[in-house]
Amino acid sequence: MQPELIVFFVLGTVAVGSAIGMLLSRNAVYSALFLILNFATVAVFYLVLGAPFIAMVQVTVYAGAIMVLFLFVIMLLGAEHLERRTGADWQKPIAALLGVVLLVEAGYVLLSESVSLPGINVPAADYGAPVAIGELLFSEYLLPFEVTSVLLLAAMVGAIVITRRDAPRRKKR
Amino acid sequence: MNETLLLIIEWTIKGGLLAFGLATGFAYTTFYERKWAARLQIRIGPNRTGPGGWLQPAADGLKLFFKEEFTPANAYKFAFNLAPVLTMVPAIVIMAVIPWGTQIDFFGRIIPLGISNELNVGVLFLLSVASVSVYGIVLAGWSSNNKYAMLGGLRSTAQMISYELALGLSFIGPIMLAGSLNMAEIIRAQQQGVWYVVYLPLAAVVFYIAALAEVNRSPFDMPEAEQELTAGYHTEYSGMKFSLFFMGEYIKMIAVSAICATLFFGGFDGPFVNTYPLLGPLYLGIKIFISLGLMIWIRATMPRLRYDRLMAFGWKVMLPLSLFNVVWAAAVIVFFNVR
């Protein structure tokens, strides 16, 4: 077997296992930890696929920044223990049914002879290199890049405005 | 023997050397701290164990092995045991991208000095590992099920996240001047020109202060604010688990010193390093030694910051300064024709 294939199967097992663990864990902190493990595994997938920049950003942004905030909220609210009865029990059979339908559908499409997935083209060696990504971002994708940054800025300002309890009053003369 | 096997052997040896070096470095950094802090305070420091006290770290290590490991009854066991490991591992892993030297000729085989010198996202690797290293502290604080530990963990995590911004932004200066995220490339650019501390003195200072906060060192040592928090996030830890936290802190000190040396002080650069590559690790070691001495000096001199002052300083002084540094670096490139 090729080494890439072995790495893929090991990583795939960890990724799927941690995703299932995240869903089934009754303690919200452990769920968050499983999610972090999942993000880290996805980052290693990117590395294997030859995209080191995306891999590092995945770890920094998702596993590093966003999940820390999740953990903070869970811990500060003391919400780590989930209730067994959540009031949404009627959703369970429907969810199970829909899940089975989706699985059957996907299995039918994949296993039927009519569909054959085309092989992927191997990208150039420096395809995922930071220099290449930077050049693309600041030439071809300049507008989406700038729009995203404005959007993020607006979100930040919004968060500050919402959390501010007392709006500064105008001084009376 | 085929090339893959040789490469695996080479990496294993280098990784082992790095881990061993860091463990020894940790032991003797504690000794250095006690001796040097004692000198600064006109004391003598440990001088009973072995000649001149030089066996003190070994005695401390042995003592910690025989201490009782105590786990509180209401602790979350799995996370409680996982937290020291999660603190320790990033501290060692972050050193993987620091070059120790150029390369040596070992019986006809060219061996680069360093684990992953030429990684093309080296600086991003530093940032991502630094951002993950928060988890050990968060988990330790939460899983101990102790309010002091919880508050200490939350405090030092908030502090680390706030100062990470200034830390990351002060990386940008060297990246811009060298035009690369590759650590070896940044050092080569400094060898051809001058060390970046000359162009970016302010960025070096901002980096150093942010790094002190990032590794929870004095005057930002919130976890050790014993008057308010007993011992912060490691209140409930004892024995080897406690010493793993201790090790994590000191190895991080070594790591940020090495990063500071690489980005601003030329890394392994020094006289004759291109003729005798084995001088590289020596020069890097000397630079780390000086930086550690400075950290200990600061600890022996400065009082601890109050927590709200610390956060205000991080957001209102460090962040604008590090943003200014980005503009400064751009100006340096234009006016001095660096690239």
Side-chain angles (χ1 to χ4, degrees), chain A residues 27 29-30 33 36 47 52-53 55-57 59-69 71-72 75-76 80-81 128-131, chain B residues 76-80 82 86 119-121 124-125 127-129 131-132 134-135 138-139 142 150 153-155 157-158 161 164 179 181:
Chain A
N27 187 320
V29 172
Y30 285 135
L33 286 181
I36 295 164
L47 269 186
F53 181 82
M56 291 302 141
V57 172
V59 173
T60 315
V61 175
Y62 285 95
I66 293 180
M67 288 315 291
V68 168
L69 292 183
L71 270 184
F72 254 58
M75 288 175 183
L76 281 179
E80 55 257 48
H81 295 293
V131 175
Chain B
Y76 296 90
K77 298 270 171 351
F78 180 70
F80 189 78
L82 185 69
L86 280 186
L119 182 68
N120 63 356
V121 288
L124 278 179
F125 178 86
L127 273 181
S128 65
V129 175
S131 71
V132 168
V134 178
Y135 286 113
V138 177
L139 273 187
W142 169 76
M150 181 78 189
L154 286 180
R155 268 191 183 188
T157 317
I161 295 173
E164 215 166 75
L181 291 170

Side-chain angles (χ1 to χ4, degrees), chain B residues 9 22 39 42 104 109 152 169 171 244 258 299 318 326 330:
Chain B
I9 293 173
L22 284 176
R39 286 290 167 202
I42 323 182
I104 52 169
R109 188 181 161 77
L169 281 171
F171 283 168
L244 276 182
R299 179 175 177 185
M318 297 287 285
V326 177

Side-chain angles (χ1 to χ4, degrees), chain B residues 69-131:
Chain B
E69 296 247 352
F70 184 77
T71 310
N74 284 331
Y76 296 90
K77 298 270 171 351
F78 180 70
F80 189 78
N81 291 327
L82 185 69
V85 182
L86 280 186
T87 317
M88 179 71 190
V89 170
I92 294 183
V93 169
I94 205 167
M95 287 292 283
V97 289
I98 310 283
W100 319 330
T102 47
Q103 53 193 17
I104 52 169
D105 195 339
F106 188 74
F107 297 116
R109 188 181 161 77
I110 302 291
I111 295 179
L113 285 173
I115 309 256
S116 183
N117 289 354
E118 304 283 345
L119 182 68
N120 63 356
V121 288
V123 181
L124 278 179
F125 178 86
L126 293 179
L127 273 181
S128 65
V129 175
S131 71

Side-chain angles (χ1 to χ4, degrees), chain A residues 7-159:
Chain A
V7 171
F8 174 80
F9 277 114
V10 172
L11 282 179
T13 317
V14 175
V16 173
S18 58
I20 293 174
M22 197 247 339
L23 288 174
L24 295 184
S25 170
R26 306 251 24 126
N27 187 320
V29 172
Y30 285 135
S31 287
L33 286 181
F34 275 122
L35 195 54
I36 295 164
L37 181 62
N38 192 294
F39 285 150
T41 328
V42 173
V44 184
F45 268 128
Y46 288 141
L47 269 186
V48 174
L49 291 173
F53 181 82
I54 308 278
M56 291 302 141
V57 172
Q58 162 90 2
V59 173
T60 315
V61 175
Y62 285 95
I66 293 180
M67 288 315 291
V68 168
L69 292 183
F70 268 61
L71 270 184
F72 254 58
V73 172
I74 294 170
M75 288 175 183
L76 281 179
L77 295 181
E80 55 257 48
H81 295 293
L82 298 179
E83 303 272 329
R84 286 224 167 257
R85 304 236 152 232
T86 50
D89 281 348
W90 57 272
Q91 290 183 353
K92 272 185 190 168
I94 304 174
L97 188 72
L98 288 177
V100 169
V101 168
L102 183 67
L103 260 185
V104 168
E105 229 175 303
Y108 176 75
V109 171
L110 281 180
L111 293 179
S112 61
E113 296 294 315
S114 58
V115 184
S116 65
L117 296 173
I120 56 162
N121 300 322
V122 178
D126 64 340
Y127 182 71
V131 175
I133 290 181
E135 273 169 5
L136 269 185
L137 265 189
F138 285 104
S139 57
E140 206 176 330
Y141 297 103
L142 184 64
L143 186 67
F145 181 74
E146 294 293 338
V147 170
T148 314
S149 67
V150 171
L151 194 67
L152 286 175
L153 184 67
M156 257 160 64
V157 172

Side-chain angles (χ1 to χ4, degrees), chain B residues 18 21-22 25 29 32 95 98-101 187 195 253-262 265-270 273 277-294:
Chain B
L18 181 66
L22 284 176
T29 308
Y32 181 25
M95 287 292 283
I98 310 283
W100 319 330
I187 292 179
W195 292 355
M253 276 168 69
I254 299 174
V256 294
S257 301
I259 296 167
C260 183
T262 306
F265 293 91
F268 57 79
D269 188 25
V273 79
L278 276 178
L279 280 176
L282 180 70
Y283 287 134
L284 185 63
I286 291 172
K287 284 168 190 172
I288 292 174
F289 184 78
I290 294 172
S291 161
L292 286 177
L294 192 60

Side-chain angles (χ1 to χ4, degrees), chain B residues 214-225:
Chain B
E214 192 67 15
V215 300
N216 288 323
R217 278 293 292 187
S218 173
F220 309 104
D221 51 346
M222 274 307 123
E224 287 174 40

